[in-house]
Amino acid sequence: MKKSFNFIAVILVLLGFSLPTYSLTNNNCTCNQKNAEAVIKLIDEVWNKGNFQIVDQLIAPKYIIRHDPGDQWENKTIDLATYKNRVKMSRDVLPDQKFHIEDLVCQNDKVAVSWKFTGTQKGDLPGLPATNKTVSISGLTIYYFSEEKIIGHWQVIDKLNLFRQLRGETGKH
Amino acid sequence: MKKSFNFIAVILVLLGFSLPTYSLTNNNCTCNQKNAEAVIKLIDEVWNKGNFQIVDQLIAPKYIIRHDPGDQWENKTIDLATYKNRVKMSRDVLPDQKFHIEDLVCQNDKVAVSWKFTGTQKGDLPGLPATNKTVSISGLTIYYFSEEKIIGHWQVIDKLNLFRQLRGETGKH
């Protein structure tokens, strides 16, 4: 069935038809409140307060950073120790970091969050020694779940403004 | 009821307790398939093909750009003519632009989409005349609905890589 669908799709494309970029097949509409709560807890407790003790409850032993431009672990599968190290490294550079969730969209095994971030650069970044500057930036993340644990994310952060603010730059782009 | 909750919240904060950054009250779990289809249509037909005739079906007469760092209409309410102009300006600069939806999360009156984008800069940007360079970047958008029309968005685009690729830069940040 899938093979014949693919065949028809190829023919349509060859004939000049274009397919939608996303297919809504199997777009079930359930929302798992527990998943939403887990994401809020991850952000409030782990990223904002450095409570590493609950990481094992929330994060799966194999966590995939599916997309996260500029992140050193992008496209990698990391273990729990590496996840904790990831949080620690961020908190070492910006010890007062605070993510504030702006909105949350929850469906099936996914939770999307829009967020704002503030933090003061007290530690060094590659090529950018501690500036003591406070940055205010934003981002969006989709967290993926399996068996009530978070198994990975797809994320975009406004790093243009991050580095601009750290470098004290202004300007259009 | 809300007033007393706010009062208790203030007392808790004064006592040193911190509240979660996002409250799940009223986190209803319905998903409107029509909203998801409207977002796919907006991206496939309007942004990717320049089909302006269907904008009025999809977009509300008052559309709010809630958050979109660097966008000239950020925090503004725009009308349908301005929305079409927004798409036209983007397509004038990058005539072969293609958004590809990577994933979609739909709940109540919101649809979150993660996407990748490719386009070749044939037109001028402020301070950046046409480079003829092809860029591949990504972003995430939450679209908001009311009465089956899209009333606004909250978006983050990886503009660091956009300008890096247009300028032919490489490097960590």
Side-chain angles (χ1 to χ4, degrees):
Chain A
M1 181 63 189
K2 199 171 176 215
K3 213 167 181 178
S4 66
F5 174 77
N6 285 344
F7 178 71
I8 292 163
V10 168
I11 295 297
L12 285 170
V13 169
L14 289 174
L15 289 172
F17 292 92
S18 61
L19 294 170
T21 63
Y22 187 83
S23 164
L24 269 180
T25 14
N26 299 320
N27 187 42
N28 293 323
C29 289
T30 57
C31 162
N32 191 333
Q33 183 93 353
K34 275 191 183 169
N35 291 352
E37 284 165 359
V39 166
I40 295 170
K41 207 168 174 182
L42 179 74
I43 292 172
D44 282 352
E45 293 295 322
V46 179
W47 285 91
N48 284 356
K49 295 184 193 158
N51 180 357
F52 292 101
Q53 289 173 330
I54 61 165
V55 171
D56 299 25
Q57 296 164 29
L58 301 171
I59 302 291
K62 287 184 179 178
Y63 184 95
I64 305 172
I65 297 176
R66 298 185 181 197
H67 183 79
D68 201 338
D71 190 283
Q72 65 172 302
W73 289 287
E74 194 188 24
N75 298 320
K76 289 197 170 70
T77 302
I78 60 174
D79 59 16
L80 288 164
T82 310
Y83 191 92
K84 288 171 201 170
N85 189 34
R86 179 178 161 83
V87 179
K88 189 184 173 297
M89 281 172 69
S90 175
R91 294 182 54 82
D92 283 349
V93 176
L94 305 128
D96 63 348
Q97 69 175 27
K98 285 281 172 290
F99 289 88
H100 179 87
I101 299 174
E102 293 286 313
D103 210 349
L104 186 149
V105 190
C106 170
Q107 185 193 3
N108 303 337
D109 56 351
K110 309 169 205 169
V111 177
V113 275
S114 53
W115 47 265
K116 290 192 175 171
F117 172 95
T118 56
T120 311
Q121 196 206 354
K122 295 286 182 185
D124 299 343
L125 285 170
L128 204 64
T131 58
N132 279 312
K133 287 205 171 99
T134 302
V135 295
S136 299
I137 57 155
S138 58
L140 284 141
T141 312
I142 300 178
Y143 286 102
Y144 290 88
F145 284 76
S146 179
E147 295 169 5
E148 299 192 353
K149 295 220 169 161
I150 311 174
I151 56 167
H153 75 251
W154 203 106
Q155 175 169 269
V156 171
I157 300 174
D158 179 13
K159 292 196 173 171
L160 183 67
N161 274 309
L162 172 67
F163 293 120
R164 237 181 223 170
Q165 291 174 24
L166 290 178
R167 293 203 183 101
E169 294 166 8
T170 52
K172 284 270 178 198
H173 50 77
Chain B
M1 182 63 191
K2 206 178 171 206
K3 213 166 183 181
S4 67
F5 174 77
N6 285 345
F7 179 72
I8 294 165
V10 168
I11 296 295
L12 285 171
V13 170
L14 290 173
L15 289 171
F17 291 93
S18 60
L19 294 169
T21 64
Y22 187 83
S23 163
L24 271 179
T25 13
N26 299 321
N27 188 42
N28 293 323
C29 289
T30 58
C31 164
N32 190 332
Q33 184 94 352
K34 275 190 183 170
N35 291 352
E37 284 164 359
V39 166
I40 296 170
K41 209 167 171 182
L42 179 74
I43 292 172
D44 283 351
E45 293 296 321
V46 180
W47 286 91
N48 284 355
K49 292 183 196 158
N51 179 357
F52 292 101
Q53 290 174 329
I54 60 164
V55 170
D56 298 23
Q57 296 165 27
L58 302 171
I59 302 292
K62 288 184 179 179
Y63 183 94
I64 305 172
I65 298 176
R66 300 186 180 197
H67 182 80
D68 201 338
D71 190 282
Q72 65 171 303
W73 290 286
E74 194 187 24
N75 298 320
K76 289 198 170 72
T77 302
I78 60 173
D79 59 15
L80 287 164
T82 311
Y83 191 93
K84 287 170 199 167
N85 189 34
R86 180 179 160 82
V87 178
K88 188 184 173 296
M89 281 171 70
S90 175
R91 295 183 52 85
D92 283 349
V93 176
L94 305 127
D96 63 348
Q97 69 175 27
K98 284 279 171 295
F99 290 88
H100 179 88
I101 299 174
E102 292 287 312
D103 210 349
L104 186 149
V105 190
C106 169
Q107 185 193 3
N108 304 336
D109 55 352
K110 308 168 205 169
V111 177
V113 273
S114 54
W115 46 265
K116 290 192 175 170
F117 171 95
T118 56
T120 311
Q121 195 206 354
K122 295 285 181 187
D124 299 344
L125 285 170
L128 205 66
T131 57
N132 280 313
K133 287 205 170 99
T134 302
V135 295
S136 298
I137 58 157
S138 58
L140 284 141
T141 312
I142 299 179
Y143 286 102
Y144 290 88
F145 284 76
S146 179
E147 295 169 5
E148 299 193 351
K149 294 219 170 160
I150 310 175
I151 56 166
H153 75 251
W154 203 107
Q155 175 169 269
V156 171
I157 300 175
D158 179 13
K159 292 197 174 171
L160 183 67
N161 274 310
L162 172 68
F163 293 120
R164 238 181 222 168
Q165 290 172 25
L166 290 178
R167 293 205 183 98
E169 294 167 9
T170 53
K172 283 270 177 198
H173 51 75

